[in-house]
Amino acid sequence: MKTIASFTVNHDRLEKGMYISRVDGDVVTYDIRMKKPNGGDYLGNGELHTIEHLFATYARNSEVSDNVVYVGPMGCRTGFYLLVRDSVSHERALRLVRDSLTFISDFEGEIPGSKRAECGNYAEHDLDAAKQTARDMLSVLKNWKENDLKYKE
Ligand SMILES: [Zn+2]
């Protein structure tokens, strides 16, 4: 079998940030890397789950919601993938991610979709850790520019 493109990125040199992972037709996949790969510090399961619910809720209620294809966590627990149609500019995608992280940082109350009937592991959430990671990522992406979206060689 072929090695899929995302495995060919040198994860030892990958830092926290936001990158263009791949483009398939009109769908752009962004790599939102929240932890340094193989750095010994990973997103906790509850935290990952809470970020997923809040990130997806925000993105799917945003101005560009019709062009959000998917938001989901990486199995390695170092980040998320965001898939959008290419009618959303890179700059706009970056803004969507920053706005989503701000939403998570400030979130209070009941996590959307966290009732038993709505989710496959409804009790496994960690809002405090999610907020802490969102704040950390906001500082990472504060001055992130379109040029920074390319994986470094
Ligand atoms: Zn869930």
Side-chain angles (χ1 to χ4, degrees), residues 40-151:
D41 172 32
Y42 306 99
L43 297 163
N45 281 321
E47 176 183 9
L48 190 80
H49 191 198
T50 302
I51 294 172
E52 182 206 22
H53 278 230
L54 293 176
F55 191 176
T57 296
Y58 187 87
R60 295 194 180 286
N61 282 283
S62 69
E63 270 172 22
V64 295
S65 60
D66 289 351
N67 292 307
V68 172
V69 177
Y70 176 72
V71 178
M74 296 174 182
C76 59
R77 296 190 281 116
T78 63
F80 276 75
Y81 286 116
L82 167 68
L83 279 69
V84 297
R85 291 207 176 78
D86 65 5
S87 54
V88 178
S89 68
H90 293 321
E91 208 174 306
R92 186 67 186 84
L94 192 46
R95 181 147 66 87
L96 174 64
V97 170
R98 282 199 196 102
D99 291 349
S100 300
L101 292 166
T102 303
F103 173 73
I104 297 166
S105 302
D106 297 339
F107 191 82
E108 299 287 346
E110 188 184 311
I111 296 159
S114 63
K115 292 196 174 69
R116 188 181 172 103
E118 298 170 326
C119 173
N121 193 354
Y122 78 107
E124 191 176 71
H125 279 285
D126 188 343
L127 180 59
D128 288 342
K131 288 167 85 150
Q132 211 175 314
T133 290
R135 288 191 193 109
D136 177 54
M137 278 309 289
L138 274 172
S139 70
V140 170
L141 297 180
K142 193 173 161 208
N143 297 311
W144 211 258
K145 300 278 181 321
E146 200 173 324
N147 269 345
D148 301 316
L149 294 170
K150 291 193 193 77
Y151 285 124

Side-chain angles (χ1 to χ4, degrees), residues 22-29 84-87:
R22 56 184 295 149
V23 179
D24 300 277
D26 69 341
V27 176
V28 183
T29 299
V84 297
R85 291 207 176 78
D86 65 5
S87 54

